Amino acid sequence: PERESRRWLRRDRRRQRREERNKAALRQFYRDNKADIELGAHWGAVRQIADYYLFHPNEMSELVDDPHTATLALRNSFAMLDPHVPSLSEIEQRYEVIRVLYAACLATYREEGDLNNVGEKVLRAVKTAVGVYPGVGEEETKTFEAEIDHRLFANTADVEAYARELIEPQLLRSDNTHTDVGWLRYKDVFKPLQKTLPLEWLSRYPNMPDIARDHLFDMCAEHADRVKLNRLIQTRCTEALDTPSSAPSIPGSVHDFWLLRGFFFLPEPPTGVLAYLRGNPQTIFGIEHRAGSLSHKAAVGWPALSAAKIFAILDAYVDAWPKVFLPSSFGTGSPAGEIAYRFLTDIVYSVGRDDPVHALPVIDKLLADSRFVDFHTVARSLKAHAIRKHALQGFLPPTPRAVVELLDRSRIATVEDLRAILIEELEEYQIWLRNAETAPLSVFYSEGRRVSENVARDRIVDHLDVRMRRRDLSIVVEHHVANANRCDFTVTAMVDGQRRLLVVEMKGQWHPELFSAASAQLHDRYSTHPDAAMQGVYLVLWVGGGAKIAGRVDRSMATPMQLHDKLTETMPPELHGSVDVFVLNLSPT
C-alpha cells in the first residue's frame, strides 16, 4: 500500500505540473495575441472568453491579465460575427455563435446601460439564448431581457410574429424534441398569446412533438375559448376512433392523448372513449396524472370529473386493479398496483363534489354493486352528505325579522320550524284523543271497524287545519309534487315571500309498505320538492297490538313506542335528522 501511495502521489504531481504548464501557455497565448483578441477578431479566443464571462467570471484571470481585455474582445466581436448571425430557423445550428453574441450583448449592456447600438438581427438571435448563467444574477437577467424586449417588440403583433417565426418550424418535427412553446407560459412578453396561438397550433400541427402538444393543450385548458377547444377535442376524438391505430391504447400516443382529453373535457364523450378506457388497464395512469391527489398543479384549467365519469372510471378499472395494501407514504415511485388502487380509493370521494342531483344516483349504484364493497362505507357517508347538501341548496338563512317573528310571535322561519310545530300539534292531539270526555277516537271507527287510511287522514287534517290557520299556515291534502306523485298532505308557510313546504306521508300500521315508505315515498319522491328542503314527517297510525303490522301478525310489537323504535331503527341513517317519525295511537283500548 505504501508503494502504491507513493506512485499515486507522483502521478498527481505530474498532473499538477502539466496543468500549470497548460495554464501558463494559455495566459502566454493571450498576452502574445492581445491586440487581435481585443479587436474581437480571434474566434477561438472570443468563444473561450464568452464561456468564462457567462459561466466562470471569477476565473477570468486564467486567460487574461486585465479583465478589460475580455470586455473589449466581446464588445468588438460584432463585426467578426455579423456574417454568421443566424435567423430564427437556424438557431440550433449556430448555438456557439449565439452564446458569444449573448456575452457580447451583456458586456455592452453592462458598459452602456442599454442595447441601442446593437442591431435587431443580433438581438433576435440573442433573445433565444436568455437563460440562467452562473455568471449572471437573476435580477440582472430580468432587466437585460427586458431591454431586449424593449428593442424588439413595439406591440403584440411584433411578439406574435417573432413567436411564429421561432416556434412554428419546431412544430413541424415529428420526433419528440425540444421546442420553445413554453415561452408562451413563462416569458411575460409572450403570455398574451396563450389565448389564441396554442389552440391554433394544436389545430394546424397535429403531428407536433409530444411534449409541445402537452404544453400547448394545458395552456388552452387554462386560457383558450372552451367552446372552440371542445370542438377541436371532439374532432380529434372522432378521428382517433375512426382511424385504426397500431397501438390504440398505449399511454403517450396521439390516440391516447386526445381520447383522454375527450373523457375529461367533453360533457358527453363519444362512446368509443369509454371502450378505450376499458381496453387497457394502463390508461388509468393518464387519468390519475390529471385527477389524482398529486395532480393539482398539473390539472390547472382541467374540468372536475362529474359523478357519472367517476363511476365510469371505477367501473372500468375496479377489476383490473384489485385491492392492495396501501402504506401511509406514497409518491410517483410507488408500485403501479398501489398507485392505481390508491387512485380508485381517493376518486370515490370526488363523487360528493358533484351536484347532489347527479351524485346521489351514482352513489346508489355504487352501494348496489358488490364489486365496490370496499367503497361502501365511504359511499354511505357521501350519500348522507349529498342529502344534506341537497337540502341546503337554495337555502337562505332566516332574516333577523323572521327570527324575531319566530321567537316573539311563534311565526315560521324554516322548514325545521314547521316540523317542530307539527310534531307539537300531533303530541297535543294525541293527548286530547286519549283523554277527552267526548270520545274523539270514535271518528276513526265505524261499526267497530277501523276506517280507511284516507278517511283517517281527513279526520286528522280537519283537526289540524283549524289550529294551523291560527299560525297563518295552510294544509293541503294529496298535494301534487314532482313526476305526478302525491303526498298525503303538506303544511305550508310563506317566509319573506318564499314558500316553505313540509311534506307528510301517512300509513296505517297494517300497510305492507309500512317500513319502506319513509325512504321510498317520503324521502325519494316527496321531500325532494325544492321548497321542502329534503325534510318531512312520517305519520303512522297505531290501532292496537292485535292488528297486523306491515301486513303480517307480529307479536313482538305490542305498543306504539315499540313500533316507533322499530321504524326509526329501520329507517336509512341519512334520513335521521331530516324525517321525524310520529306514531299516533288510535287504539280503542
Side-chain angles (χ1 to χ4, degrees):
E2 183 178 352
R3 183 178 180 183
E4 188 66 28
S5 178
R6 288 197 300 270
R7 183 181 299 173
W8 183 86
L9 289 173
R10 287 196 298 272
R11 285 199 299 266
D12 187 55
R13 284 194 292 269
R14 286 197 299 271
R15 181 185 58 79
Q16 291 181 8
R17 287 194 296 270
R18 186 167 57 250
E19 289 180 356
E20 289 299 325
R21 287 195 300 271
N22 290 340
K23 288 181 180 180
L26 185 61
R27 282 193 295 270
Q28 189 59 48
F29 168 80
Y30 275 88
R31 293 189 188 105
D32 294 343
N33 296 279
K34 180 178 179 180
D36 284 343
I37 291 171
E38 289 185 343
L39 289 174
H42 194 293
W43 164 246
V46 171
R47 181 180 58 182
Q48 193 170 38
I49 288 172
D51 286 344
Y52 271 74
Y53 194 79
L54 295 175
F55 296 97
H56 314 289
N58 296 330
E59 300 172 17
M60 188 66 77
S61 59
E62 294 180 359
L63 303 181
V64 294
D65 297 322
D66 182 1
H68 190 57
T69 296
T71 301
L72 285 174
L74 292 172
R75 296 190 61 190
N76 290 330
S77 66
F78 288 110
M80 176 186 66
L81 298 174
D82 184 68
H84 308 286
V85 176
S87 65
L88 295 184
S89 61
E90 301 171 322
I91 292 298
E92 294 184 2
Q93 289 76 39
R94 302 283 181 85
Y95 180 72
E96 287 190 336
V97 172
I98 297 174
R99 189 171 68 246
V100 174
L101 287 170
Y102 186 90
C105 287
L106 181 62
T108 301
Y109 178 70
R110 286 172 172 174
E111 289 286 316
E112 300 180 6
D114 57 50
L115 296 172
N116 293 337
N117 295 320
V118 179
E120 180 180 346
K121 183 180 179 181
V122 171
L123 293 178
R124 286 170 64 82
V126 167
K127 171 70 177 175
T128 66
V130 174
V132 178
Y133 297 93
V136 189
E138 182 178 347
E139 191 59 35
E140 185 181 31
T141 299
K142 290 181 180 179
T143 58
F144 178 59
E145 184 170 23
E147 174 62 17
I148 295 175
D149 294 344
H150 173 70
R151 289 290 317 283
L152 288 179
F153 309 128
N155 49 50
T156 304
D158 291 342
V159 176
E160 182 176 336
Y162 184 95
R164 289 184 181 277
E165 185 178 348
L166 174 67
I167 299 174
E168 287 184 351
Q170 300 172 0
L171 302 179
L172 292 170
R173 305 168 186 163
S174 58
D175 54 335
N176 196 22
T177 55
H178 168 77
T179 68
D180 291 308
V181 297
W183 282 25
L184 275 63
R185 169 166 284 178
Y186 302 116
K187 291 185 179 290
D188 290 342
V189 72
F190 291 95
K191 286 182 178 180
L193 305 179
Q194 291 185 84
K195 295 182 179 179
T196 55
L197 282 189
L199 185 59
E200 177 190 331
W201 286 343
L202 283 174
S203 302
R204 289 178 54 198
Y205 303 102
N207 298 315
M208 67 175 67
D210 294 342
I211 296 176
R213 183 185 299 108
D214 205 47
H215 287 323
L216 289 174
F217 186 92
D218 284 347
M219 285 184 246
C220 288
E222 194 171 354
H223 301 286
D225 182 285
R226 185 53 57 89
V227 173
K228 293 180 180 178
L229 177 60
N230 282 1
R231 192 178 301 137
L232 175 62
I233 296 171
Q234 183 76 48
T235 300
R236 291 288 187 259
C237 284
T238 302
E239 293 171 352
L241 294 170
D242 290 345
T243 304
S245 172
S246 59
S249 58
I250 296 178
S253 67
V254 178
H255 186 278
D256 175 274
F257 179 93
W258 287 110
L259 294 184
L260 176 68
R261 282 149 183 80
F263 178 72
F264 271 88
F265 281 78
L266 300 180
E268 297 293 335
T271 55
V273 172
L274 296 180
Y276 143 79
L277 292 179
R278 294 177 178 277
N280 186 343
Q282 299 298 316
T283 53
I284 192 175
F285 300 111
I287 300 175
E288 188 274 339
H289 177 64
R290 297 295 179 175
S293 58
L294 301 179
S295 67
H296 303 297
K297 292 184 179 179
V300 175
W302 284 55
L305 291 171
S306 66
K309 289 183 178 180
I310 293 171
F311 181 83
I313 292 171
L314 295 168
D315 185 47
Y317 298 118
V318 69
D319 293 325
W321 298 102
K323 183 178 181 179
V324 297
F325 171 73
L326 296 177
S328 57
S329 61
F330 65 96
T332 55
S334 299
E338 282 186 21
I339 294 174
Y341 185 69
R342 188 184 299 276
F343 172 62
L344 295 180
T345 60
D346 289 345
I347 200 68
V348 171
Y349 288 93
S350 297
V351 172
R353 297 175 186 169
D354 204 344
D355 188 290
V357 173
H358 306 302
L360 285 168
V362 168
I363 295 171
D364 287 338
K365 288 170 70 176
L366 291 174
L367 291 171
D369 195 326
S370 60
R371 293 179 302 158
F372 308 117
V373 65
D374 291 324
F375 308 137
H376 281 183
T377 300
V378 173
R380 284 191 287 268
S381 175
L382 291 174
K383 184 172 183 178
H385 175 76
I387 289 171
R388 289 194 298 271
K389 184 177 178 181
H390 186 60
L392 292 173
Q393 282 183 336
F395 169 76
L396 294 175
T399 63
R401 177 186 173 188
V403 174
V404 170
E405 291 287 318
L406 172 67
L407 296 177
D408 292 350
R409 302 180 180 86
S410 298
R411 293 182 65 88
I412 299 301
T414 64
V415 177
E416 285 88 345
D417 297 338
L418 281 174
R419 281 169 54 199
I421 286 175
L422 180 59
I423 296 298
E424 179 183 319
E425 291 291 347
L426 288 171
E427 288 173 345
E428 292 183 4
Y429 185 38
Q430 178 71 86
I431 295 171
W432 179 73
L433 285 173
R434 305 305 301 179
N435 297 284
E437 296 179 355
T438 56
L441 281 173
S442 61
V443 299
F444 295 98
Y445 295 88
S446 176
E447 299 181 356
R449 299 172 59 88
R450 62 169 173 81
V451 297
S452 67
E453 280 184 357
N454 287 346
V455 173
R457 177 203 59 206
D458 293 343
R459 300 289 187 266
I460 295 169
V461 169
D462 286 342
H463 175 85
L464 294 175
D465 187 49
V466 176
R467 301 178 67 83
M468 291 299 180
R469 288 180 184 278
R470 295 172 184 169
R471 298 176 182 266
D472 290 333
L473 305 177
S474 62
I475 293 183
V476 178
V477 176
E478 293 193 339
H479 191 119
H480 286 266
V481 290
N483 301 319
N485 291 315
R486 293 184 299 177
C487 60
D488 283 301
F489 66 92
T490 59
V491 182
T492 307
M494 296 297 294
V495 180
D496 293 332
Q498 296 291 321
R499 185 170 66 164
R500 297 290 182 262
L501 188 72
L502 178 66
V503 179
V504 182
E505 176 66 17
M506 194 187 81
K507 287 284 184 287
Q509 71 176 68
W510 57 89
H511 199 288
E513 297 179 359
L514 176 69
F515 291 104
S516 63
S519 174
Q521 290 180 270
L522 178 60
H523 180 72
D524 294 344
R525 299 183 198 173
Y526 309 145
S527 62
T528 54
H529 190 286
D531 297 329
M534 295 294 288
Q535 301 183 58
V537 171
Y538 187 31
L539 176 59
V540 175
L541 307 181
W542 172 266
V543 294
K548 291 183 178 181
I549 296 177
R552 298 182 304 172
V553 175
D554 188 345
R555 304 300 182 188
S556 65
M557 284 177 281
T559 67
M561 183 55 66
Q562 289 176 329
L563 178 58
H564 177 276
D565 293 344
K566 185 65 174 179
L567 287 166
T568 305
E569 177 186 334
T570 57
M571 192 168 63
E574 60 267 21
L575 301 190
H576 294 178
S578 62
V579 172
D580 289 320
V581 177
F582 190 92
V583 179
L584 186 65
N585 185 359
L586 302 181
S587 172
T589 58

